Amino acid sequence: MFTISFGSAFSRTQNKTSSAIAVVVADDKRLPDTKQLGVHAKFLSRALANANFTGKKGEVLTLVNPQGNPNYYLIAGMGAVKDINALRLEETGGSIAAAALAAKIAQLDIVAALAKGVKLDAAQAGAHLAFGAKLRGYRFDKYRTKIKPEDKPKLKSVVIIAAAADKARKIYAPLDGLAESVFFARDLVTEPPNVLYPESYAAECRKLAKLGVKVEVLGITAMKKLGMGSLLGVGQGSVKESQMVVMQWYGGKKGAKPVGLIGKGVCFDTGGISIKPSNGMEDMKYDMAGSAAVVGTMRALAARKAKVNVIGVIGLVENMPDGNAQRPSDVVISMSGQTIEVLNTDAEGRLVLADCLWYAQSRFKPQCMVDLATLTGAIVVALGSARAGVMSNNDKLSETLSAAGERTQERVWRLPLGPEYDELINCDIADMQNVGYAREAGSITAAQFLQRFVNDVPWAHLDIAGVAWADKPNALTPKGAVGWGVRLLTDWVEHEYAK
Ligand code: BES
Ligand code: ZN
Ligand code: ZN
């Protein structure tokens, strides 16, 4: 990945590496009004007048400069002037980074100046362009020992050229911490399951202690004592020991009830004895993405010393078939005391979350809880990869999460809950069964199951099965692990709860 810095003059010194100057324009194609463009302004305005370029969002025109130095100009579109805000600048920064990577540019100067009439100052623009470029530049090359030199990314340095470079640098600092936290989550999701299993995952979480997060890890002895039969049943077929990681960031008012974040951390989901088909099973390494969003958010809040009290509880297990694995029709006793008939061992996420939710609410008395989980294939059918599903017992919670989703473009869509769905998991031999009899309303019955463990605490469940992994890149994410939820939750917590 490349370095990001801020300056007030172009950084190109020599012509040995491939260099570029990037500018941003709205769909009125007016060039930024800045002296910094200097001699380049004439070339750029001539290109804008002649090129097939409309300035819509996501569009980037890559021009070769026959005179060299810079070797390229990039002109990036931002869409309509009225739509230009911090987020749009981030998306534009992401598109510029993608174009620079594709053109094998090594040294990139992005001019953070906007045409007159755009209501965002250059320092803000610079910081958000940088944030977007950084997010889009993420790579995971740890296990690739044979990348050909020509396939190695060439981009080494991105310099944001802004009149108020100091101010831009200051605005950027907390965004850089957020990007690092998104990367932390992406790394966790991308790591293969032979490397990232419950104990090694818990060890990664302990790294948050450096930032002031209190981290506790419960192993199976402690969880048995607490009566977490629901979570433990899922992990009992694995040779890897199940873990629960409890994180606390108390940066807010003393005595203020914390916000609770709960995550599904199934490090690999074979389905267990209700085994999944082998085709596509490899996707199930990202069945811990909900927990990664929780860890990433805790990291982000701690890194920026957010004035808020937050706890994170994640359940880490591996769901395997084995002589000791749980069987369809086993009955387990959850920490809440409620009994569950496990009719399908592949509906394991709700079994893990049941004990996490109960533990979180009984120990910490949170003012609200949000859980994140790659919980159902049904949500992928319903909403695809554009939005996560939200199901909640509280309208305000659902609305504030939706609003944060719009601000960050990690968007959600609400699905209903209700007694007519809840009754679908009633059971003849236990208090409930872990799947409905028919496949109808699969995402909702999963949420109804969870609701039986929240004890009336205001709660929202985010089903992120469709959004956690991207099959194609978008403005802020290369393809692969999205780190979905870190930007959403950090924004939501700060917006609603930080004082
Ligand atoms: N981890 C899966 C859900 C999933 C599907 C995540 C696709 C990511 C992408 C979950 O544990 C599961 O297997 N759910 C079952 C539930 C069913 C047995 C009621 C499903 O959705 O098929
Ligand atoms: Zn499953
Ligand atoms: Zn699963």
Side-chain angles (χ1 to χ4, degrees), residues 242-416:
S242 300
Q243 311 272 290
M244 181 178 283
V245 180
V246 182
M247 293 157 282
Q248 301 177 53
W249 169 256
Y250 277 71
K253 282 205 195 90
K254 231 182 144 189
K257 287 180 169 182
V259 171
L261 303 175
I262 287 79
K264 169 179 175 180
V266 176
C267 296
F268 195 77
D269 180 13
T270 64
I273 296 300
S274 313
I275 198 162
K276 288 180 180 296
S278 51
N279 219 335
M281 198 197 273
E282 65 276 11
D283 286 352
M284 287 303 110
K285 78 165 179 178
Y286 73 75
D287 210 18
M288 35 57 70
S291 64
V294 171
V295 178
T297 304
M298 295 300 296
R299 190 194 179 285
L301 292 168
R304 43 169 84 181
K305 306 223 181 313
K307 292 192 164 60
V308 62
N309 299 339
V310 189
I311 59 115
V313 175
I314 59 175
L316 307 180
V317 301
E318 188 182 56
N319 188 21
M320 299 293 272
D322 179 75
N324 193 44
Q326 69 181 345
R327 293 145 289 255
S329 78
D330 275 5
V331 173
V332 295
I333 309 175
S334 67
M335 184 188 174
S336 73
Q338 301 178 91
T339 56
I340 305 159
E341 185 184 19
V342 180
L343 286 179
N344 189 320
T345 65
D346 196 13
E348 84 299 340
R350 62 198 78 181
L351 296 169
V352 172
L353 289 171
D355 281 336
C356 293
L357 286 162
W358 189 265
Y359 178 81
Q361 64 78 25
S362 62
R363 175 171 170 194
F364 293 105
K365 312 286 178 236
Q367 54 175 311
C368 63
M369 297 193 285
V370 177
D371 77 72
L372 296 97
T374 46
L375 205 60
T376 66
I379 205 70
V380 190
V381 176
L383 300 175
S385 58
R387 288 176 188 258
V390 59
M391 285 143 270
S392 179
N393 61 2
N394 185 289
D395 292 345
K396 170 136 191 275
L397 201 50
S398 159
E399 279 156 23
T400 57
L401 284 164
S402 297
E406 295 307 315
R407 288 195 295 274
T408 56
Q409 288 295 291
E410 292 190 330
R411 294 185 298 165
V412 303
W413 194 257
R414 192 175 186 182
L415 277 69

Side-chain angles (χ1 to χ4, degrees), residues 44-343:
L44 287 165
S45 58
R46 212 176 292 151
L48 274 172
N50 295 311
N52 180 18
F53 172 81
T54 63
K56 67 171 191 277
K57 129 177 178 190
E59 198 180 355
V60 181
L61 182 64
T62 303
L63 301 165
V64 178
N65 177 12
Q67 296 178 334
N69 200 18
N71 306 88
Y72 294 92
Y73 292 101
L74 304 178
I75 308 178
M78 296 183 289
V81 170
K82 65 169 176 40
D83 296 334
I84 296 173
N85 56 16
L87 177 74
R88 183 57 58 89
L89 266 298
E90 290 166 11
E91 291 168 336
T92 307
S95 302
I96 293 172
L101 285 162
K104 307 221 178 293
I105 287 158
Q107 250 184 311
L108 171 66
D109 290 342
I110 304 179
V111 180
L114 302 164
K116 273 209 187 78
V118 181
K119 286 192 209 67
L120 202 73
D121 70 56
Q124 285 282 351
H128 289 281
L129 282 165
F131 182 51
K134 173 143 178 163
L135 285 172
R136 185 63 172 77
Y138 173 80
R139 289 180 62 101
F140 189 93
D141 288 337
K142 197 171 162 188
Y143 301 114
R144 301 182 58 181
T145 64
K146 292 181 177 172
I147 309 179
K148 295 192 198 91
E150 64 268 28
D151 292 336
K152 284 213 175 110
K154 297 286 178 302
L155 192 55
K156 292 284 172 301
S157 109
V158 173
V159 183
I160 306 294
I161 311 295
D166 287 340
K167 195 173 158 208
R169 196 179 294 120
K170 237 194 212 134
I171 300 169
Y172 176 68
L175 294 172
D176 191 69
L178 180 54
E180 291 294 333
S181 302
V182 172
F183 290 1
F184 196 78
R186 287 180 185 170
D187 284 350
L188 290 170
V189 174
T190 313
E191 281 288 359
N194 60 329
V195 174
L196 197 87
Y197 48 86
E199 282 177 306
S200 61
Y201 190 163
E204 286 301 308
C205 297
R206 285 191 196 277
K207 292 183 180 165
L208 269 56
K210 272 196 294 243
L211 294 166
V213 178
K214 184 172 173 198
V215 184
E216 297 162 81
V217 179
L218 314 187
I220 53 173
T221 316
M223 288 192 278
K224 264 188 196 144
K225 252 191 216 143
L226 288 160
M228 297 183 173
S230 183
L231 183 152
L232 288 168
V234 176
Q236 80 185 29
S238 170
V239 297
K240 309 288 191 196
E241 181 176 335
S242 300
Q243 311 272 290
M244 181 178 283
V245 180
V246 182
M247 293 157 282
Q248 301 177 53
W249 169 256
Y250 277 71
K253 282 205 195 90
K254 231 182 144 189
K257 287 180 169 182
V259 171
L261 303 175
I262 287 79
K264 169 179 175 180
V266 176
C267 296
F268 195 77
D269 180 13
T270 64
I273 296 300
S274 313
I275 198 162
K276 288 180 180 296
S278 51
N279 219 335
M281 198 197 273
E282 65 276 11
D283 286 352
M284 287 303 110
K285 78 165 179 178
Y286 73 75
D287 210 18
M288 35 57 70
S291 64
V294 171
V295 178
T297 304
M298 295 300 296
R299 190 194 179 285
L301 292 168
R304 43 169 84 181
K305 306 223 181 313
K307 292 192 164 60
V308 62
N309 299 339
V310 189
I311 59 115
V313 175
I314 59 175
L316 307 180
V317 301
E318 188 182 56
N319 188 21
M320 299 293 272
D322 179 75
N324 193 44
Q326 69 181 345
R327 293 145 289 255
S329 78
D330 275 5
V331 173
V332 295
I333 309 175
S334 67
M335 184 188 174
S336 73
Q338 301 178 91
T339 56
I340 305 159
E341 185 184 19
V342 180
L343 286 179

